[in-house]
Amino acid sequence: MAKLLRILGLTLLLSARVNATELSPSINSLAQFNPLTVATGTFVQNKFFTVLKNPISSTGNIYFDQKLGFIWETTQPIYSAMILKQDGLYSVDHLQQVKRIKNAGSIAAILMNAISGDVATLSKEFTLSENNKNQCVQLTPKNEVIAKVMRVIELCGSGTVEHLVLFETSGNRTEIDVTLSAINQLPEAARAQLQ
Amino acid sequence: MRSYNKGFKLYIVQLICVLTLGLYQLEWGSWQIETNILSLLPTSSHQQDAAKAKTALFQQANQRVTVAISGERSIAAYRELAEVIKTFDGIEYQEIKLPEISDVIAFYAPYRDSVLTPNYQQLLSSSLALNDFVIGQLTQISNPFVSGSLAIAPRLNLADFLYNGLSSLQSFDTEQGIITVTQQNKTYYIMPIKVDVDGFSVKQTQLFSQQLQDQFARIEQRFQVDLLYSGVLFHTAESSKQAEYEMSTFGVISLLAVLLMILVVFRSAVPVNLAVGVLVIALVYGLTAVVTFFDQLHLLTLVFAVTLIGVVIDYCFHAFVSINENGGLKSIRTALFLGFFTTALGYAALIFSPLILLGQVAVFMIFGLLGALLTVLFLLPSLPLKKPIRVQPVIWQITGKLQSVLLCLNAKRMVISFLLIVILGVTVAVDEVNFNDDIRLLNSSPAALINNEIAMAKLMGYQHSQRIVITAPDSEALLQRQETLLAKLAQQDGLKVKSIGSLLPSVARQQQSNDLLHAADLQQRFSPGLASLGLTDSVDAFKPLTLAAFNEGPLQQLAELYIYQYENKYALWVETSGTPLNTELISWIQEQNDISIDDKPGEVSAALTKYRHALLILFAGAVLVVAIVLCIRFGLYNGLLGLLPILLSAGSALLLTQALLGHLNIFNLLAVLLILALAIDYVIFYQEHSLRRHTVLAITLSAISSALVFGVLALSVTPAVQSFGLTVMLGILFVFILAPLSAPKVTEHNDLEKHRYGHVHE
């Protein structure tokens, strides 16, 4: 019996070591980005639909403040905005019609955390792994609701997130190049939109 | 060997029949116990269809328990509670199960060109607007409906339809698969629980309620979270516990008080045993009749049925006082029969009342009293008693004094009656009779549970939410009427609307959408946009999406929630929230025969008002019946004289109740009918036997026992029972004082005694 317990103890110890080794990429990944708290910048987005020969490109501005929320503003080819405030997610179309979007706040929050490089927060909802080929961090959703939409999110860059790829379950993918700068306070217009 | 008369033999035969029927019902009967006070009330009479539909559509609401957890460790607390609940039989944690978006899109693919949102319809007039719309959709960072449907519906009308349709039905956010509500920067994690409350015993309701409440308290303490819960289950458990407690406590207290009185009066256990025997038989008769005539036996019926004790004991007292005196039971047979007949007639009027409770109480009382009457008349005289039942001399002495007082009152009856009529008239003139039929005044749920309900309603945004129910003979008519309603609702600003119409339009509407798409296609409205994407596509021929097909698809659960088929008819509901419906909309809905607002408290209060009026008519009818019976038996003058104390007692009891409680309700009127029934017995005995000591004693004992029984009901915490008990108690006291006024005058009394029994009693 004592022998059996010793073997069991050894097995548990070994498996703990193996788990620690498996977790190490995640720990490295966490150190890869310095999370931004208040930032502004621009983006270039290319959406690759499996049924379309060419990607759909768009450009726009990003504003985020971890305390206030997040604005994803598409300016070209047509205006639209996605605004994540404390009380929920809103969309604004090119006719300036504002709509409250239910049950998509978590996806928007993920996007904000991904762009800001807040991998620690993301690790609650995603399993992290490192793509050694391109020095990117891959996020695989743990949550079933997110997994229905998003297969994997890839974050690449040094210091801040510079390139982001969303792999959807439908087979389509969205590639986003981001240029971000940390600032002390968001512009007044952006603050007004978030309050 | 003792020989038994024919009446006794017949009595035994019918007793065996009743007992056999009672045992059959107990073992194999299909009746069940009901605890919800609202189930006693009639469904909306002018819209029986709507009432049936509402019952069918919202029956699940009675099974729903909602829990809201807030605090730092909410998610951990939530997960543990969910795990514990999974181990309970009959209680189910309802996890969110979202359909796969790809399945939904694939299901709608054949109908892709039959569905349009109103917004998309507006775009059809302009190629530019359509192109802007498509580009706007395609550049969104993430829209699974666009991603999933672009290949099969490149005009993106399907993506737009599904995205808006599903969004409009979604009320809450989710976090880690849990519904969340944020209020004042505090996040609440909502857990829907389903409790299997169909057709189980009251004990099981209480068990489920206790199980859940224990777990809620444990989770709150362990995780240091705030936990709010609501659900019909807890109210049912509390009210049934209260009713059971009152039934057992009041029943025992009144029985003991009455039995004690018998012991004091007769100094013998024989009348006690006989009274218990008669009571048991009466209860068996009453219960057997109720479970035979009704599918449900309501607990409140049993609470009201405690009053049977008072009336049955009345019969027993008349029997005990007379059984060993001159004339024996034969001397009171006519009065007992007449009393029962008139009382039963009074109750019979209630059987036809639309209130099930009144019907159940009436059946219980009529058959219970019949059992008691037959037992008193046919069983008691045939029982071999070792020791005769005799009233204690001291009791006779006290009765003699009381008799003198009553004789004095009787001598001044015209003055007393006149004074009472004046007092009642002035009181009514000064303080108008004030009826309040608001059902919420009859709610006896504990304050903590009611506060929980209010807090949960605020949290879930149900405060201004209303459900509108539509009924129709077929599904297409149903969906078309829904579209008419939705168009009306769209006219009110700030009104949020949830309906299955956003995912299942009528076939007519689909045909119209398909026609619009064809027309736009013919006008080349889609060509520029499609060409810029490098795609070509033509509009499909019309293919309707029917309810039957919808029910086979991945959104079938939604159809089950919103649409119900019953008795070859269809019903659905639409929910509005955000702001109350304006008066214009309410008036419009009220004008529609097939559309109605689900407002149970309002409907019940309105029903109470309606049936209060009906009861007043029944009351007038019962008074007329009594007047006729009394006039036929005792002549016009004495008959009307007998009616006077009955009416004065009822009126005085009502006005005094109003003075004490501030208002009257339907249960006070119900009490008046009972006062009437009891008063008839007293008046008939006084009319038949005048103010003889035996009559005075029997009625005094009966009045004391009845007042004890009804006095106990006035202590109930259930407002309906309390107001009933109070009015009946006051009424009995008034009847006791006023009924002797109807007795023949003292000189007539002596002549009567001589005429009937050959002597005047001492």
Side-chain angles (χ1 to χ4, degrees):
Chain A
M1 186 65 183
K3 269 188 182 177
L4 187 68
L5 284 172
R6 252 180 254 148
I7 291 166
L8 189 66
L10 196 62
T11 314
L12 285 173
L13 196 67
L14 282 173
S15 67
R17 281 188 180 177
V18 169
N19 287 340
T21 316
E22 280 172 359
L23 278 173
S24 61
S26 307
I27 295 163
N28 292 337
S29 309
L30 288 171
Q32 187 169 333
F33 302 111
N34 301 315
L36 297 165
T37 49
V38 184
T40 181
T42 56
F43 71 86
V44 176
Q45 175 186 284
N46 284 297
K47 287 191 76 112
F48 294 86
F49 291 96
T50 50
V51 289
L52 300 183
K53 286 176 189 162
N54 302 313
I56 306 289
S57 301
S58 57
T59 56
N61 305 311
I62 305 165
Y63 306 91
F64 73 79
D65 181 328
Q66 294 283 11
K67 285 182 187 162
L68 294 177
F70 171 70
I71 301 171
W72 180 271
E73 186 184 57
T74 305
T75 51
Q76 288 296 327
I78 195 160
Y79 180 86
S80 71
M82 183 174 74
I83 303 169
L84 178 68
K85 300 203 272 189
Q86 293 288 347
D87 66 339
L89 183 68
Y90 295 82
S91 73
V92 186
D93 67 12
H94 66 286
L95 301 171
Q96 295 301 314
Q97 290 175 322
V98 183
K99 260 189 203 171
R100 166 95 157 87
I101 305 171
K102 291 277 184 183
N103 202 25
S106 54
I107 301 258
I110 287 163
L111 191 64
M112 180 171 82
N113 292 325
I115 288 170
S116 69
D118 188 358
V119 185
T121 305
L122 287 171
S123 65
K124 290 178 191 167
E125 305 258 14
F126 292 86
T127 306
L128 307 181
S129 58
E130 205 161 18
N131 187 336
N132 291 323
K133 284 181 193 167
N134 52 11
Q135 293 299 304
C136 294
V137 178
Q138 284 198 330
L139 312 172
T140 310
K142 295 175 189 171
N143 183 334
E144 194 191 338
V145 180
I146 301 168
K148 280 182 195 289
V149 181
M150 213 69 74
R151 190 167 56 80
V152 170
I153 300 176
E154 200 170 72
L155 305 180
C156 312
S158 55
T160 58
V161 173
E162 293 160 353
H163 187 71
L164 187 98
V165 186
L166 310 175
F167 293 93
E168 296 178 23
T169 46
S170 57
N172 303 323
R173 78 175 192 281
T174 306
E175 291 186 4
I176 306 167
D177 289 316
V178 183
T179 313
L180 279 176
S181 338
I183 50 171
N184 290 329
Q185 198 178 41
L186 290 180
E188 199 50 45
R191 287 176 67 81
Q193 278 187 292
L194 291 171
Q195 281 166 347
Chain B
M1 194 175 165
R2 190 184 165 93
S3 66
Y4 293 99
N5 61 33
K6 197 177 168 188
F8 176 77
K9 287 175 187 165
L10 281 173
Y11 170 82
I12 294 296
V13 170
Q14 63 82 37
L15 181 64
I16 290 167
C17 291
V18 172
L19 289 176
T20 311
L21 180 61
L23 282 173
Y24 171 81
Q25 288 290 356
L26 188 69
E27 192 62 34
W28 297 286
S30 58
W31 59 279
Q32 57 185 20
I33 290 183
E34 174 64 52
T35 56
N36 182 5
I37 191 167
L38 294 181
S39 70
L40 293 168
L41 295 158
T43 50
S44 182
S45 61
H46 68 285
Q47 284 188 328
Q48 289 290 329
D49 251 10
K52 278 181 195 166
K54 284 172 194 169
T55 309
L57 284 168
F58 307 133
Q59 62 188 357
Q60 287 180 345
N62 291 338
Q63 302 180 322
R64 199 174 301 140
V65 168
T66 310
V67 179
I69 304 174
S70 60
E72 272 190 29
R73 300 178 66 201
S74 298
I75 294 181
Y78 187 102
R79 302 269 185 236
E80 175 152 333
L81 183 61
E83 285 306 312
V84 173
I85 284 172
K86 278 177 192 168
T87 63
F88 292 159
D89 282 342
I91 305 178
E92 188 188 329
Y93 158 53
Q94 291 194 299
E95 221 163 343
I96 311 174
K97 284 174 189 158
L98 297 173
E100 294 286 342
I101 292 170
S102 54
D103 291 346
V104 175
I105 292 168
F107 170 75
Y108 274 93
Y111 317 105
R112 61 171 197 156
D113 291 332
S114 303
V115 289
L116 295 180
T117 61
N119 187 43
Y120 196 97
Q121 281 186 25
Q122 287 181 353
L123 300 175
L124 291 174
S125 57
S126 156
S127 296
L128 185 65
L130 276 169
N131 197 43
D132 285 350
F133 170 79
V134 171
I135 295 297
Q137 294 290 309
L138 292 178
T139 53
Q140 276 183 18
I141 190 161
S142 174
N143 183 331
F145 294 101
V146 171
S147 286
S149 70
L150 182 65
I152 55 168
R155 277 175 287 273
L156 294 186
N157 61 306
L158 180 58
D160 179 53
F161 177 83
L162 291 177
Y163 173 74
N164 283 295
L166 286 166
S167 302
S168 71
L169 291 173
Q170 187 119 33
S171 307
F172 306 105
D173 286 321
T174 59
E175 188 181 322
Q176 297 187 32
I178 303 171
I179 298 170
T180 60
V181 177
T182 304
Q183 203 176 64
Q184 294 172 339
N185 292 330
K186 199 171 175 184
T187 302
Y188 294 83
Y189 294 81
I190 310 297
M191 180 186 289
I193 296 170
K194 189 184 167 194
V195 185
D196 184 12
V197 288
D198 276 341
F200 64 63
S201 74
V202 171
K203 284 278 168 223
Q204 206 170 354
T205 312
Q206 293 170 1
L207 180 74
F208 282 166
S209 167
Q210 196 59 51
Q211 267 183 321
L212 286 173
Q213 283 175 324
D214 287 348
Q215 284 306 319
F216 296 160
R218 189 184 67 78
I219 292 283
E220 256 187 319
Q221 200 178 14
R222 182 166 173 207
F223 293 93
Q224 295 296 302
V225 290
D226 289 328
L227 194 148
L228 188 69
Y229 60 90
S230 71
V232 176
L233 171 84
F234 305 108
H235 296 268
T236 308
E238 279 301 322
S239 58
S240 61
K241 240 192 270 180
Q242 188 60 38
E244 274 182 352
Y245 169 76
E246 288 182 359
M247 216 168 60
S248 56
T249 316
F250 296 173
V252 169
I253 290 175
S254 26
L255 195 63
L256 284 180
V258 169
L259 295 181
L260 187 69
M261 195 174 68
I262 296 174
L263 273 175
V264 169
V265 173
F266 300 101
R267 287 279 169 83
S268 162
V270 175
V272 174
N273 296 337
L274 291 178
V276 171
V278 176
L279 262 178
V280 169
I281 291 172
L283 287 171
V284 169
Y285 271 65
L287 281 175
T288 304
V290 172
V291 298
T292 304
F293 291 115
F294 297 90
D295 292 332
Q296 293 176 334
L297 169 63
H298 201 286
L299 270 188
L300 214 53
T301 304
L302 295 181
V303 174
F304 278 108
V306 174
T307 57
L308 180 73
I309 298 172
V311 193
V312 168
I313 289 293
D314 182 38
Y315 290 181
C316 291
F317 284 136
H318 283 296
F320 297 155
V321 171
S322 310
I323 196 164
N324 286 309
E325 300 301 323
N326 289 332
L329 280 180
K330 278 185 185 169
S331 67
I332 58 164
R333 186 183 286 176
T334 311
L336 276 177
F337 260 129
L338 199 58
F340 166 75
F341 178 68
T342 324
T343 310
L345 269 183
Y347 276 115
L350 294 182
I351 294 176
F352 305 105
S353 155
L355 287 163
I356 301 167
L357 175 66
L358 298 193
Q360 288 196 357
V361 170
V363 166
F364 187 89
M365 292 297 278
I366 291 171
F367 283 89
L369 287 181
L370 178 67
L373 179 77
L374 295 176
T375 309
V376 165
L377 289 179
F378 299 106
L379 184 66
L380 288 194
S382 307
L383 288 175
L385 300 177
K386 286 179 186 170
K387 194 180 161 191
I389 299 169
R390 295 238 180 254
V391 177
Q392 291 303 297
V394 67
I395 300 296
W396 279 128
Q397 284 170 16
I398 297 168
T399 310
K401 286 175 187 166
L402 180 64
Q403 186 188 27
S404 306
V405 174
L406 295 179
L407 284 168
C408 270
L409 288 176
N410 182 278
K412 292 169 187 167
R413 63 187 180 193
M414 295 315 284
V415 178
I416 295 169
S417 300
F418 178 74
L419 274 175
L420 260 176
I421 290 169
V422 170
I423 291 169
L424 283 181
V426 170
T427 312
V428 171
V430 173
D431 184 16
E432 276 183 18
V433 178
N434 172 25
F435 279 101
N436 192 335
D437 300 316
D438 191 343
I439 188 71
R440 283 163 289 205
L441 292 174
L442 301 176
N443 194 335
S444 61
S445 287
L449 285 184
I450 293 171
N451 290 340
N452 270 6
E453 293 294 337
I454 294 168
M456 189 65 86
K458 273 186 191 168
L459 192 62
M460 305 293 276
Y462 293 151
Q463 275 188 311
H464 292 303
S465 89
Q466 282 197 293
R467 293 184 294 196
I468 305 168
V469 174
I470 307 173
T471 55
D474 60 75
S475 60
E476 176 59 13
L478 186 78
L479 294 171
Q480 285 188 22
R481 286 296 283 160
Q482 177 178 236
E483 281 154 6
T484 307
L485 172 68
L486 292 176
K488 279 277 175 192
L489 294 176
Q491 291 170 8
Q492 185 179 337
D493 288 338
L495 199 65
K496 293 176 193 162
V497 180
K498 274 165 77 174
S499 87
I500 192 73
S502 62
L503 288 169
L504 179 62
S506 66
V507 172
R509 175 65 55 89
Q510 292 175 49
Q511 176 73 66
Q512 190 189 8
S513 298
N514 187 256
D515 291 345
L516 285 170
L517 275 180
H518 271 294
D521 195 34
L522 280 173
Q523 290 165 351
Q524 306 281 309
R525 296 267 155 80
F526 302 111
S527 305
L530 288 172
S532 68
L533 297 175
L535 297 170
T536 53
D537 190 47
S538 58
V539 175
D540 289 346
F542 177 59
K543 184 177 181 195
L545 168 60
T546 60
L547 175 60
F550 194 82
N551 278 332
E552 299 295 317
L555 298 175
Q556 176 237 359
Q557 278 187 328
L558 276 175
E560 274 180 7
L561 181 67
Y562 282 93
I563 302 177
Y564 196 80
Q565 189 183 359
Y566 67 103
E567 297 171 6
N568 296 323
K569 289 176 187 170
Y570 289 81
L572 63 73
W573 60 280
V574 171
E575 185 184 300
T576 65
S577 60
T579 179
L581 292 174
N582 62 30
T583 46
E584 195 187 329
L585 270 173
I586 292 172
S587 318
W588 182 82
I589 291 168
Q590 282 169 345
E591 285 165 15
Q592 314 303 309
N593 287 329
D594 54 350
I595 304 178
S596 63
I597 297 169
D598 178 48
D599 172 21
K600 200 70 184 172
E603 280 173 21
V604 169
S605 298
L608 285 181
T609 305
K610 192 176 174 191
Y611 296 120
R612 176 164 59 76
H613 293 151
L615 252 184
L616 281 170
I617 295 167
L618 286 173
F619 181 65
V623 168
L624 191 66
V625 168
V626 172
I628 291 167
V629 172
L630 290 179
C631 289
I632 289 172
R633 174 68 186 166
F634 305 111
L636 185 65
Y637 177 75
N638 282 330
L640 293 178
L641 197 66
L643 194 65
L644 194 62
I646 295 170
L647 293 178
L648 283 175
S649 306
S652 307
L654 274 180
L655 289 180
L656 201 53
T657 306
Q658 179 172 302
L660 292 170
L661 297 180
H663 63 265
L664 297 173
N665 59 49
I666 195 169
F667 291 95
N668 301 118
L669 280 189
L670 175 64
V672 167
L673 276 171
L674 192 60
I675 292 168
L676 192 70
L678 290 164
I680 289 160
D681 270 358
Y682 298 175
V683 166
I684 285 174
F685 265 90
Y686 279 130
Q687 290 266 3
E688 283 282 332
H689 299 287
S690 188
L691 282 164
R692 285 173 61 211
R693 281 197 323 186
H694 293 87
T695 314
V696 171
L697 177 61
I699 287 177
T700 304
L701 296 177
S702 163
I704 293 172
S705 59
S706 297
L708 278 172
V709 170
F710 300 125
V712 169
L713 285 188
L715 297 174
S716 167
V717 296
T718 308
V721 181
Q722 184 207 27
S723 50
F724 173 83
L726 185 64
T727 308
V728 177
M729 185 182 73
L730 294 171
I732 295 290
L733 292 176
F734 279 112
V735 168
F736 177 70
I737 296 165
L738 300 177
L741 304 186
S742 69
K745 285 234 170 198
V746 181
T747 48
E748 296 164 23
H749 151 78
N750 288 344
D751 295 342
L752 203 72
E753 293 278 309
K754 279 182 189 169
H755 172 72
R756 284 189 177 151
Y757 308 111
H759 69 282
V760 178
H761 247 288
E762 290 304 315

